[in-house]
Amino acid sequence: MTQTISLINMKGGVGKSTLTVNLAWHFAAYSNWSKRVLVVDLDPQFNASQYLVGVHKYMNIINDNRPTIWEIFEQHTRTPAGKTQKITPAESVRSVARVRHGGKIDLIPSRLELSLSLRNPGQKEYLLQKTITKIKDNYDLILIDCAPTESVLTTAAYLASDFILVPVKPEYLSTIGLPLLVNSMRDFHEQYEEHNINLCGIVFNAVTYYSPEEMKSKNEVITLSKNNGWYYFRNEIPYSRSYPKGAREGQPIFRTSYARTEQALKFALFAEEFAGRIGI
Amino acid sequence: MNYNKEYELLKDLAKLLQKHGPESFKSLALLFSDKELAETISNILFEVHHHSELIKKTQKKLSKNKTLRSSIIELNKDDPERTNLLLSIYDKLEENKYLPTLKQIRLFCEDNALKPISARSRKSAINQFVKVMMELSSSDISSVKKLLDEKPEDRTLDGWSSIILNRKEDKMPNQTLKADK
Ligand SMILES: Nc1ncnc2c1ncn2[C@@H]1O[C@H](COP(=O)(O)OP(=O)(O)OP(=O)(O)O)[C@@H](O)[C@H]1O
Ligand SMILES: [Mg+2]
């Protein structure tokens, strides 16, 4: 069964895009996973797209007349000529990597214009879910990289997902993003009662292990999680310069030779724990 | 009567039974009760065997101390188009026009579901890569060549800036940046 997971946190820069792309690579190409993974870039900043493809390929994407995530959200918008532009979901999917034994990474890319969609949010929240339903059989895992601000896109992500994965940096302001997020999930539950989303867990990202402030933030989050019955991942992701460097090169952590094996291994341990949580 | 051979076969089967589980054996036996299917499978097996023999032969020939270049020419003498395709890939690799580092050769194979490269130097990786190509169908080689011919990716800030800053405001869906130029 396909599992769809949104990486969400209303706090910016906590590692949503970094984890999305590294998880995609992990399950497509690391060890013997060979999973079919789809990454959905749901952020007008299009960081996940930038990470997964380079400038030339991205240029082709926005010029090839095939839909991106923007067109998916605008398919019911009337053009000046009075037409609506129904899209074929499969056409929005671009191939990023084909790995041996059937593993692959595909991408529904984003573009800056997606931010324009937010100006007219009416009735758009179901469009992503509808699109994904039509193509999900081609995948084992679908990862949605969300934008850091709450909008119709967040609702769309909730509606399309089985699970929410929440990266948190163990820093004071970043941890306050957590109750904000849970609040947003509650609001969602009230409005869309029929739809069930599960908090897959909270993962600490960019942990340095040496500041007392960091320890304090971490402990606070753990206590909060325990009190509310939220799962937090026992495997944390350490701070490593290899993450930004990998992004620049378009490579996952396990392929960056300068990542000390230990760091790549720690990510792999987290990914395995994640797999157990979502049942893949 | 001596049943040595049959005994050996049984021993092999027992090993396979352990590997694949009794359920797969039972369902396979059931499949074989369909005569037509049994025939198709045995034909496929024969083809696979034949193909792997061919590959072995190719590899043997290649290892006979000949240069890879002359082997490409010799093995494909009935198909000049294929020869050209392979030679052009080989030459461009040698001239550093394709995949200029060992790491790039490795990742290219990984990302395109080609046989993994184990070589530790770029030179032997090229040989390995071309040998992998020689086992592919001509149309597969063409598709690989198409990928190799793609411009090397640009991930510079400058590249992204030109995409981001050239965009036109308030376009309707499905219009593309082409109109900007
Ligand atoms: N474990 C880590 N160690 C070091 N740097 C990291 C780590 N995780 C992420 N980063 C870096 O932190 C920055 C922010 O990460 P990322 O873009 O993934 O966050 P985000 O949550 O997607 O941000 P946004 O909210 O803007 O979408 C990036 O430069 C990334 O390379
Ligand atoms: Mg991001």
Side-chain angles (χ1 to χ4, degrees), chain B residues 80-129:
Chain B
E81 213 171 301
R82 189 180 161 88
T83 312
N84 284 340
L85 208 56
L86 286 165
L87 284 181
S88 121
I89 292 177
Y90 179 61
D91 291 341
K92 286 192 171 156
L93 281 164
E94 287 273 304
E95 293 159 15
N96 282 340
K97 285 186 181 146
Y98 288 156
L99 311 174
T101 65
L102 171 61
K103 186 172 173 189
Q104 279 169 309
I105 298 181
R106 274 209 189 127
L107 293 183
F108 183 86
C109 289
E110 271 184 49
D111 290 351
N112 294 294
L114 296 168
K115 228 185 228 172
I117 297 290
S118 54
R120 287 175 172 259
S121 70
R122 183 165 181 277
K123 190 147 184 58
S124 40
I126 292 177
N127 285 353
Q128 224 178 335
F129 185 88

Side-chain angles (χ1 to χ4, degrees), chain A residues 34-147:
Chain A
S34 304
K35 293 287 182 201
R36 301 165 302 162
V37 185
L38 173 68
V39 172
V40 179
D41 189 349
L42 196 57
D43 185 349
Q45 282 184 95
F46 65 107
N47 282 157
S49 305
Q50 289 152 21
Y51 196 157
L52 285 168
V53 305
V55 171
H56 298 315
K57 209 167 170 193
Y58 188 76
M59 200 66 161
N60 291 337
I61 285 176
I62 51 178
N63 283 319
D64 66 4
N65 271 320
R66 283 160 58 193
T68 66
I69 196 76
W70 179 43
E71 283 85 359
I72 289 174
F73 280 100
E74 289 304 317
Q75 54 188 308
H76 295 158
T77 308
R78 285 182 178 276
T79 65
K83 280 191 206 146
T84 57
Q85 324 211 3
K86 200 125 186 66
I87 63 133
T88 313
E91 286 186 358
S92 65
V93 171
R94 324 300 161 105
S95 168
V96 173
R98 289 271 176 284
V99 190
R100 266 163 90 79
H101 312 300
K104 65 171 177 180
I105 302 180
D106 283 351
L107 168 71
I108 298 185
S110 176
R111 55 190 295 169
L112 278 173
E113 287 81 353
L114 179 61
S115 58
L116 304 176
S117 293
L118 304 176
R119 294 186 192 163
N120 289 308
Q123 305 295 310
K124 287 178 182 167
E125 69 268 36
Y126 285 103
L127 292 169
L128 179 63
Q129 181 192 33
K130 275 192 187 152
T131 305
I132 287 183
T133 306
K134 291 199 182 117
I135 48 176
K136 79 191 295 185
D137 286 348
N138 301 331
Y139 301 97
D140 304 301
L141 178 65
I142 300 177
L143 298 167
I144 304 176
D145 181 26
C146 295

Side-chain angles (χ1 to χ4, degrees), chain A residues 124-247:
Chain A
K124 287 178 182 167
E125 69 268 36
Y126 285 103
L127 292 169
L128 179 63
Q129 181 192 33
K130 275 192 187 152
T131 305
I132 287 183
T133 306
K134 291 199 182 117
I135 48 176
K136 79 191 295 185
D137 286 348
N138 301 331
Y139 301 97
D140 304 301
L141 178 65
I142 300 177
L143 298 167
I144 304 176
D145 181 26
C146 295
T149 41
E150 175 131 33
S151 69
V152 63
L153 299 176
T154 321
T155 314
Y158 286 145
L159 284 168
S161 307
D162 303 301
F163 292 101
I164 306 294
L165 173 65
V166 187
V168 171
K169 268 194 185 168
E171 285 168 2
Y172 180 61
L173 290 178
S174 169
T175 58
I176 301 178
L178 197 57
L180 285 174
L181 171 69
V182 173
N183 195 40
S184 133
M185 283 172 72
R186 276 198 196 135
D187 287 350
F188 171 81
H189 270 305
E190 267 168 33
Q191 212 182 334
Y192 301 87
E193 277 169 358
E194 75 291 358
H195 190 85
N196 217 4
I197 31 167
N198 297 304
L199 182 67
C200 157
I202 295 159
V203 54
F204 291 111
N205 182 34
V207 183
T208 59
Y209 300 102
Y210 51 67
S211 109
E213 168 56 29
E214 178 181 295
M215 275 308 288
K216 196 164 177 188
S217 296
K218 220 156 79 179
N219 286 334
E220 280 173 345
V221 171
I222 291 173
T223 310
L224 191 69
S225 304
K226 284 183 179 156
N227 291 342
N228 288 281
W230 309 328
Y231 183 82
Y232 65 94
F233 285 88
R234 303 309 188 263
N235 290 290
E236 301 164 351
I237 301 164
Y239 176 89
S240 161
R241 294 225 175 266
S242 300
Y243 284 101
K245 240 176 156 178

